[in-house]
Amino acid sequence: MASVLDSSARIVIIGAGIVGCSTAYHLAQRGVTDVLVVEQGPLFATGGSSSHAPGLVFQTSGSQTMTQLARYTVERFTAASVDGRPCFHQVGGIEVATSQARWDELHRKHGLATAWGVDGTLLTPGEVHERIPQVDPSRIYGGFHVPTDGIAKPVRAAESMAREAQRLGVRFLEYTAVTGFDTAAGRVNAVHTDRGTVEAERVLCCAGIWGPRIGEMAGVSIPVQPVAHQYAVTEPVEGLVAGAEEVEQPILRQQDSSLYFRQIHDRYGIGSYQHRVIPVACEELAPTEAAGDGVEAPPEGGGWKGMSSVHPFTPDDFAKPFAEARELIPALRRSEVAEGMNGIFLFTADGAPVLGPTREVDNFWVAEAVWITHSAGVGLAVAEWMTEGEPSIDLRSADVRRFENFAHSESYVSERSAQTFREVYDIIHPQQPPEHPRPLRTSPFYPRQQELGAVFLEASGWERPHWFESNAPLVADREPATPGQWARRYWSPIIAAEHQVTRERVAMYDMTSLCRAEVSGPGALELLQRLTTNQLDRAPGYVTYTLMLDHRGGIRSDVTVARLSENTFQVGCNGQRDIAWMLDHADESTTVRDITGGTCCIGLWGPYARAVLQSLTESDVSHEQFRFFRAKRLFVREVPVTALRLSYVGELGWELYTTADFGLRLWELLADAGAEYGVIAGGRGAFSNMRLEKGYRAWGGDMWSVHTPDEAGLAFAVKPDKGQFIGRDALLRHRESPVRRKLCCLSIDDGTVVMGSEPVFVGSQDRRARGFTTSTGYGHSLGLSLAYAWLPSELSEAGTSLEVAYFGERHPATVMSDPVFDPEMKRMRC
């Protein structure tokens, strides 16, 4: 092992667990070998979470990103071994349903797997029993089987990758604790350890449960919570044989009881998420002095002893889960728990990892809260990110900079991480809001919205009305289409009424939660020109829809830029990642300031929007004097407003911004003036469906960094002749070849409302998904169920007949011309 300290390295990786070793391996594969990996414990059973993890790898999730990371992990580990011993047992995985709701969910999960390119099959109870004879088939409705799932050997896999990294020149140093950092001007210059100092160009923290402590030393917040999780190994179980193979049966999940099972020779390892949440303070996590052999062998002899990442087993917490395990597997009634542990690993507020460069120190990177399931994939993606500037897998949902400032608070991380733990195996609806802490962020309009009976969902901490019970009388004369049982959770027919009334009259929408920044200073225009695709060098008063690309020409974000004065711009963003991107590229000539919390916005939209606004202002808001995609500062009575004439719902209207102190007055003025025209308050449900009808893309939902503007139907927002901008050259290279896929609008011809991420097929005999859906909803103005979908170009022509699989059933669909509502944009430009 390496022993040279008081030296230097291009990259210092802290932690030689599975993630640190994976990243080191993938960096070396890309020719970056001036890498030092420091580990406070021994190599490679370090005593961290990788050393005690049972290693189950179920690839399929509702997230395409996480599924892709898991697929690569299986691919990498299946090809790896250490001294002839495999790093992965590809025995397959089965999830069983003990309730009708779960059985329905497994049908949906089968669709997700198919959409994401994972082969799986739904099994009858008898077919599950054939593969795992200990399972009582009378207790289950069936199972979902993925033959490529299996069990990773984390310590062995880490060693396999580390050996290859070492062969290529990467240095590993065990029993070396990080004690601090030299930082200056927002950068780390050196890493201090108990064995010397290492100068470093970049630092990557893969310290696992010790990560928050390392981050604190560097002045970096890593928003994770260590939590203890129960795992037990039984005595020998009837029907299992103590043979040469550690595991032959498929791994098993019974998510209705928050349980998972894996064979260990003649025993079962059983993990439970059913118990109380057991948070662990970082101060309790002392370095491991002597690590055991993880779970490389049955842990009868105390293989977990000596690990700070393992706390004593708490039998009372396991009593109920074990009783339920015995119901599913009757043979367990004749077996007891031989040994158990409460293993500690990290949770985040939203269940996703935290990856990438940090907001506080630009050369301090993190790769934390990573499960074994995704470990090799994360190592690959982070190595690509560090060497090429962008990962090949979109990591928007895992970027550490996705969190708002409040989401780094100890109380928030603790509360939300606890909920994430409780819901690990729950059936989660895509719109299901978190429970606590709420309300956290409210717009100035919140008191009036409560009076109107708003039903709130939550996003980025904001309470956002989804519909208003005060609008229930509007449903009486209408016959809205009713979605199916799953789609109509967090739904009301009031949504359809609000949608139609907006198209017929006028409505007020709270747009406060949309992130926005002020970019100002003499370098503001140059910065935004360099970061975006459209021409922003226009006179003050113009508003421009534009894209931010990454260096590969993929869509990093879409933004709306209003030039308010020569050197002041208001930028409508998709979140904190956009603000971090602008800050990363700004110099001393430009100030980038998040103004979201200090301002508020009402979207005033509908045929009577002009009449309402004109009655409250002395400024001329006629079409001739206030044209589409223009901005003006004006007064709404006494309220100073920045008005942008644009509409995300496809109707005449304005986004009206003011500071938060004037917000409630602005609401009351518009509501009073609008009463004559039948104004209503509208919620996000109607907003989303109108957006879908109008064909407006939602970044992060419809397109992301792996898609180009041409593929997403956004070529109109790109002006290559304006000059150089990030991604321009890559995009022009893309344009040398035909577009291979497109984002298309579909109608679901039988009226079924789907929920997104469903696989799309050509016909009833087709078993290979040709694409997948993104945004979905009901076009109440058109009487059509709509879905956007990524499809091969040869299937993108209007009129093409397709099928969408939803909960295991195929539904006919047709490619539509895009947009389907007001394609000539007459309603907005009047």
Side-chain angles (χ1 to χ4, degrees), residues 653-734:
W654 288 263
E655 291 180 359
L656 304 173
Y657 295 88
T658 190
T659 51
D661 52 337
F662 286 107
L664 195 55
R665 177 61 173 163
L666 178 63
W667 179 280
E668 290 173 341
L669 287 168
L670 293 171
D672 290 346
E676 176 184 350
Y677 302 94
V679 72
I680 63 167
R684 299 292 297 191
F687 173 89
S688 298
N689 284 330
M690 287 188 287
R691 187 270 298 179
L692 191 69
E693 284 184 335
K694 195 67 190 73
Y696 289 148
R697 281 74 166 125
W699 184 88
D702 291 317
M703 74 282 187
W704 43 93
S705 65
V706 300
H707 304 119
T708 68
D710 298 347
E711 293 172 335
L714 297 175
F716 68 88
V718 181
K719 300 294 186 290
D721 57 353
K722 78 167 189 174
Q724 192 59 245
F725 54 83
I726 291 176
R728 176 183 180 274
D729 293 343
L731 180 60
L732 293 177
R733 286 194 297 272
H734 285 303

Side-chain angles (χ1 to χ4, degrees), residues 351-575:
V354 285
L355 310 175
T358 58
R359 58 180 185 165
E360 301 95 337
V361 180
D362 63 9
N363 66 335
F364 188 97
W365 291 55
V366 299
E368 299 287 6
V370 180
W371 289 19
I372 301 300
T373 302
H374 312 107
S375 55
V378 165
L380 168 66
V382 171
E384 290 175 332
W385 201 349
M386 297 185 86
T387 57
E388 301 170 29
E390 308 293 342
S392 58
I393 296 174
D394 183 274
L395 296 179
R396 67 193 184 282
S397 60
D399 191 326
V400 66
R401 296 168 300 180
R402 70 189 181 273
F403 291 113
E404 302 271 355
N405 188 51
F406 69 84
H408 287 260
S409 66
E410 184 176 344
S411 61
Y412 183 89
V413 172
S414 175
E415 185 74 48
R416 286 290 169 93
S417 296
Q419 181 171 346
T420 301
F421 181 93
R422 289 190 294 267
E423 293 177 346
V424 163
Y425 282 172
D426 285 2
I427 300 172
I428 303 295
H429 189 276
Q431 291 180 315
Q432 182 171 322
E435 297 171 359
H436 304 288
R438 290 181 64 189
L440 181 60
R441 307 175 82 183
T442 59
S443 78
F445 321 131
Y446 185 66
R448 296 297 177 263
Q449 293 166 345
Q450 288 180 301
E451 292 169 4
L452 294 172
V455 175
F456 293 98
L457 300 184
E458 189 252 36
S460 299
W462 288 100
E463 294 296 319
R464 303 201 305 184
H466 206 54
W467 70 83
F468 292 87
E469 289 295 334
S470 60
N471 292 327
L474 298 173
V475 179
D477 298 329
R478 305 172 190 274
E479 296 182 1
T482 302
Q485 182 177 2
W486 179 253
R488 69 171 175 263
R489 291 183 66 188
Y490 308 104
W491 178 87
S492 166
I494 296 171
I495 290 173
E498 291 176 357
H499 177 140
Q500 291 168 321
V501 169
T502 304
R503 297 263 189 248
E504 297 162 0
R505 303 196 310 238
V506 62
M508 298 160 52
Y509 288 84
D510 183 357
M511 306 299 291
T512 302
S513 63
L514 298 184
C515 181
R516 51 198 166 273
E518 181 184 86
V519 181
S520 60
L525 175 61
E526 190 278 331
L527 171 69
L528 292 172
Q529 284 282 73
R530 183 160 40 94
L531 295 183
T532 66
T533 61
N534 214 334
Q535 178 59 264
L536 303 182
D537 190 6
R538 311 171 78 185
Y542 274 85
V543 182
T544 306
Y545 175 80
T546 185
L547 308 174
M548 291 181 177
L549 304 185
D550 61 27
H551 294 281
R552 295 177 177 175
I555 303 172
R556 181 183 175 85
S557 187
D558 66 340
V559 297
T560 302
V561 180
R563 190 171 194 178
L564 303 181
S565 70
E566 192 69 22
N567 294 324
T568 304
F569 298 79
Q570 180 173 302
V571 183
C573 307
N574 282 301

